Amino acid sequence: GGKGDGKGDGKGSPDEMPVEKFSQILAPRLLKTHAPRQMFLGVRSVKTPSLSASGYWEPVREGTKVIYVARNAKDACVSAYYHASNPYKSGWPFDAWAKTWLSGLFESGRWSDHVLAWRAESLMNPEQVLWVRYEDLLADPAAQIRRVAEFIGIARVTDELVEKTARASCFEQMKAQSGNAAHMRQGKAGDSATHFASDLKAAFDKEVLEQLKGGSADLRDML
């Protein structure tokens, strides 16, 4: 309950926003996370005697809405190459990084595990989870802004509001707001073409498709 702006100053470290402090912020609140579905904190506890429940994650908490932005696998791999621990700056050859990225032995885990779980949740629970493709945001930001607005319950969405939101959330504005953070590189789709040699691309795609088996068929389009 209650109302608040749901905003932080964007300057603090993660250690400065413990769960207790976040819980004190009045709703509606906004939290950005890279959490896999099974580590998502906005859930409600369900106690069940089922013997098969050990691998089942808890349902998303009532009143919580998740906007999940999914990105092309190879572009995501390239982005991670320059982000967080910055394997590029550490001197990793890109092909070695791509193989490590596929293994999931780094922060946030395997891309395939991440998208498989959240895609399944979005299909089974569309009232609480909105699936957004990064490439669609770039190609038609106005259409995606309208989807998000409808999802979070904004009743009146004018063309003026959509245009204002698109201007305020474009890559150039976000990079400026970040203080020109180094990991804010391009904000484009398709940069992987400059990093993947043909043999690496073929091996990468084969491994990702293997990891995606059993998931939603539309995930095959994210290679």
Side-chain angles (χ1 to χ4, degrees):
K3 292 184 178 180
D5 61 16
K7 298 176 182 177
D9 61 13
K11 299 177 182 177
S13 70
D15 293 338
E16 295 174 359
M17 182 57 76
V19 173
E20 294 79 11
K21 185 176 180 180
F22 178 73
S23 298
Q24 293 171 6
I25 301 174
L26 297 178
R29 298 170 294 182
L30 175 64
L31 177 66
K32 185 184 78 171
T33 177
H34 292 278
R37 176 60 183 86
Q38 67 272 22
M39 296 177 67
F40 185 66
L41 295 178
V43 296
R44 57 185 172 87
S45 296
V46 174
K47 296 188 182 298
T48 172
S50 171
L51 294 177
S52 61
S54 60
Y56 178 75
W57 48 71
E58 295 173 313
V60 175
R61 187 187 301 272
E62 293 92 339
T64 298
K65 295 225 172 198
V66 179
I67 300 170
Y68 185 86
V69 181
R71 190 174 190 180
N72 171 279
K74 288 189 287 292
D75 280 356
C77 177
V78 170
S79 178
Y81 186 51
Y82 297 97
H83 192 222
S85 60
N86 203 323
Y88 168 75
K89 187 176 288 187
S90 300
W92 282 58
F94 181 75
D95 57 349
W97 165 247
K99 293 175 182 177
T100 300
W101 187 86
L102 283 171
S103 75
L105 297 177
F106 72 104
E107 63 270 20
S108 300
R110 254 187 352 190
W111 176 91
S112 56
D113 294 337
H114 219 290
V115 298
L116 278 168
W118 279 111
R119 183 54 174 151
E121 182 78 43
S122 73
L123 292 171
M124 293 296 293
N125 186 13
E127 295 81 12
Q128 289 186 278
V129 180
L130 179 67
W131 178 268
V132 178
R133 291 279 299 270
Y134 180 78
E135 295 77 18
D136 293 339
L137 281 171
L138 296 178
D140 192 349
Q144 298 306 311
I145 289 168
R146 290 184 182 278
R147 287 185 68 217
V148 169
E150 179 181 2
F151 177 69
I152 61 177
I154 298 179
R156 186 169 178 268
V157 184
T158 64
D159 291 343
E160 180 183 3
L161 178 60
V162 171
E163 291 171 7
K164 182 179 179 181
T165 303
R167 288 195 303 270
S169 59
C170 70
F171 176 77
E172 291 74 18
Q173 285 290 335
M174 293 181 68
K175 185 174 178 66
Q177 291 170 14
S178 74
N180 290 316
H183 71 273
M184 300 281 287
R185 295 174 53 245
Q186 297 181 352
K188 298 178 180 179
D191 187 40
S192 58
T194 65
H195 289 71
F196 279 82
S198 58
D199 56 343
L200 178 61
K201 178 180 180 296
F204 185 96
D205 287 353
K206 181 179 179 181
E207 175 60 24
V208 173
L209 286 173
E210 182 67 25
Q211 293 178 8
L212 291 175
K213 283 184 176 179
S216 177
D218 63 347
L219 294 178
R220 296 174 61 92
D221 298 332
M222 298 184 65
L223 297 177

